[in-house]
Amino acid sequence: MSVLLETSAGDIVIDLLVDYAPKMCENFLKLCKLKYYNFSPIHSIQKSFSFQTGDPLGPLSSSSDGGSSIWGLLSSDPSERTFPAFFHPKLRHLERGTVSMATVPHPSDPDVRLAASQFIVTLGDNTDYLDNKAAIFGKVVEGFDVLEKINDAIVDEKGHPLVDIRIKHTVILDDPYPDPAGLREPSSSPPPSKAQLATVRIAEGEELLDIEQNAEAAALAERHRREREAAAQALTLEMMGDLPFAEVKPPENVLFVCKLNPVTTDEDLELIFSRFGKILSCEVIRDAKTGDSLQYAFIEFEDKKACEEAYAKMDSVLIDDRRIHVDFSQSVSKLSEVWRSETNSKRKSAAARGKKGGGVEWMSWRSGGSIGMRMMRVIMKGVGAVGIRWCMGWRI
């Protein structure tokens, strides 16, 4: 005889010990059949020891009556809300996953302990402290990973989880007992009552939303980190002379074409792509020593619109039995080459006039130039005080 508990932490299957605790098993099965446990909170979590549940409202509600047995629910007699628990001498709390009814002493007879609806599940081995206090009636046979999640839950000083863990549904896998008079199984699982909803602290969905928001914040922070890193690398390339300036962007009128057939020439590409607009330059990149095609090229159009049209229509087109790939160029090497050529020309011109430092106005660290100041900050971070003293007289 088994029951499946669907909880917000996962599914737990409990085998019932009907031969050892028949009345407690009947009470538990019929409460599950009535969906009495739906939305009951899991509380009083003691790490590696136990947790408690089975009260539809839970200890956080001032309206809670602690739960009722199946006979108390079906009867108007308040004395039937509880019943005497039976402690079988062979059953002990020796292993994780032991399931037992929570009990309280009888008001007039301390030797008798009363059970209702609440039950306890152990989270560790050798929890024999519960013997003769909680009456065993079942054991967990599936869902030990769920017990581990509950065991690791963040709880307050009273053992209540900060993020709600609740029984969502109960499914009876096998029931040997006839239904008591008056029991009517609901056709569907009832929704949580207003009193139950009032006990919610942080709901399962709210936790998920918070995780998603944290994930979005982490992704945004990572993007900003990468942007800062890219900016720093660009500034380094600017200092080394590989970029004309750190904020340089690739031209918007140049296409990158790859997967070319080695026999395809500049003239072939220019003829094919010229139908989209005037081409300023078309170059298949070749090995410097052998002159063999590296099978990619750059095509520069006169205007951006022609470039965009060629990109839209020429990707995956077959040229010389090869299906080419077209994308917008991300290269700034041509801009850098133009910049370096112009800079060197100015330097040579200035040197011919006897002007120190070359044609581009040199940026001493005292000049306050924007590039010079950025370079100064980078060098201060990179070379330290000794390097700074050495650099103070250096001019570019």
Side-chain angles (χ1 to χ4, degrees):
M1 292 40 162
S2 304
V3 169
L4 167 66
L5 299 183
E6 296 180 12
T7 78
S8 54
D11 295 347
I12 300 172
V13 177
I14 299 173
D15 271 2
L16 303 181
L17 308 174
V18 294
D19 294 334
Y20 294 89
K23 188 166 186 177
M24 289 189 296
C25 289
E26 181 184 5
N27 177 59
F28 182 73
L29 276 169
K30 300 310 176 182
L31 289 174
C32 289
K33 195 169 189 177
L34 274 182
K35 307 301 180 185
Y36 181 76
Y37 289 129
N38 281 24
F39 213 68
S40 295
I42 288 173
H43 60 87
S44 304
I45 299 173
Q46 301 179 63
K47 191 171 181 63
S48 301
F49 189 76
S50 70
F51 70 81
Q52 189 167 327
T53 185
D55 177 359
L57 293 179
L60 296 179
S61 173
S62 58
S63 304
S64 172
D65 60 3
S68 172
S69 72
I70 185 63
W71 301 284
L73 289 177
L74 300 176
S75 168
S76 57
D77 186 354
S79 65
E80 293 194 13
R81 288 185 58 255
T82 60
F83 63 96
F86 176 70
F87 295 85
H88 197 285
K90 290 187 177 180
L91 300 180
R92 292 285 184 268
H93 293 84
L94 298 177
E95 58 186 359
R96 183 175 62 147
T98 301
V99 184
S100 51
M101 297 299 296
T103 67
V104 294
H106 193 287
S108 58
D109 186 356
D111 293 333
V112 176
R113 297 187 72 89
L114 302 175
S117 66
Q118 296 197 54
F119 59 95
I120 292 170
V121 180
T122 59
L123 296 171
D125 297 327
N126 300 317
T127 53
D128 53 0
Y129 170 81
L130 294 171
D131 290 347
N132 301 317
K133 299 181 181 67
I136 298 172
F137 68 94
K139 59 181 180 179
V140 173
V141 292
E142 292 182 33
F144 287 95
D145 58 327
V146 180
L147 298 187
E148 198 61 37
K149 289 180 184 178
I150 296 172
N151 191 49
D152 292 338
I154 301 174
V155 299
D156 61 18
E157 67 279 0
K158 294 183 179 179
H160 305 321
L162 300 184
V163 177
D164 282 15
I165 305 174
R166 293 180 180 263
I167 297 174
K168 299 167 73 174
H169 300 286
T170 54
V171 180
I172 298 174
L173 304 180
D174 190 14
D175 180 5
Y177 301 100
D179 291 343
L183 190 150
R184 297 291 183 270
E185 184 179 2
S187 58
S188 61
S189 288
S193 66
K194 289 184 178 180
Q196 287 178 314
L197 292 174
T199 65
V200 173
R201 304 177 84 179
I202 301 177
E204 178 188 8
E206 292 176 358
E207 179 200 16
L208 178 61
L209 178 62
D210 185 53
I211 291 172
E212 289 175 350
Q213 289 173 342
N214 289 341
E216 289 176 4
L220 182 62
E222 175 64 14
R223 187 165 72 249
H224 288 166
R225 184 193 68 78
R226 291 183 178 181
E227 288 173 354
R228 290 194 300 270
E229 184 176 320
Q233 291 173 347
L235 185 56
T236 302
L237 292 174
E238 176 187 326
M239 291 176 57
M240 296 172 63
D242 286 350
L243 288 180
F245 50 94
E247 296 81 7
V248 67
K249 294 181 180 179
E252 297 180 339
N253 63 327
V254 178
L255 286 183
F256 169 74
V257 184
C258 63
K259 299 185 179 180
L260 293 172
N261 191 312
V263 303
T264 303
T265 65
D266 302 350
E267 292 78 11
D268 297 333
L269 279 183
E270 185 171 0
L271 181 62
I272 294 169
F273 279 83
S274 61
R275 66 189 181 94
F276 299 103
K278 185 177 180 180
I279 293 177
L280 300 180
S281 65
C282 179
E283 181 183 5
V284 175
I285 307 304
R286 299 183 178 276
D287 185 275
K289 293 183 179 179
T290 64
D292 295 335
S293 170
L294 298 179
Q295 301 174 41
Y296 68 93
F298 293 95
I299 304 174
E300 182 181 3
F301 287 87
E302 186 176 42
D303 65 84
K304 176 182 173 182
K305 186 176 180 181
C307 183
E308 291 174 348
E309 187 178 356
Y311 164 74
K313 294 184 177 181
M314 293 301 293
D315 191 31
S316 296
V317 167
L318 211 60
I319 296 179
D320 293 331
D321 296 325
R322 289 288 182 90
R323 201 165 293 280
I324 66 169
H325 174 65
V326 178
D327 204 345
F328 290 101
S329 172
Q330 299 300 310
S331 172
V332 295
S333 60
K334 190 169 184 179
L335 293 177
S336 298
E337 184 179 349
V338 170
W339 176 79
R340 280 193 292 269
S341 298
E342 292 178 353
T343 301
N344 289 335
S345 297
K346 291 179 181 178
R347 285 177 174 167
K348 290 176 182 178
S349 176
R353 297 196 302 269
K355 187 174 181 180
K356 187 176 182 180
V360 176
E361 185 65 30
W362 61 271
M363 301 172 210
S364 73
W365 306 122
R366 304 177 184 86
S367 69
S370 61
I371 296 178
M373 291 304 292
R374 288 202 301 272
M375 293 172 69
M376 181 62 172
R377 285 195 292 271
V378 172
I379 289 177
M380 287 177 68
K381 292 180 181 178
V383 302
V386 175
I388 291 169
R389 286 195 295 269
W390 178 82
C391 290
M392 287 299 289
W394 182 45
R395 299 176 177 178
I396 59 172

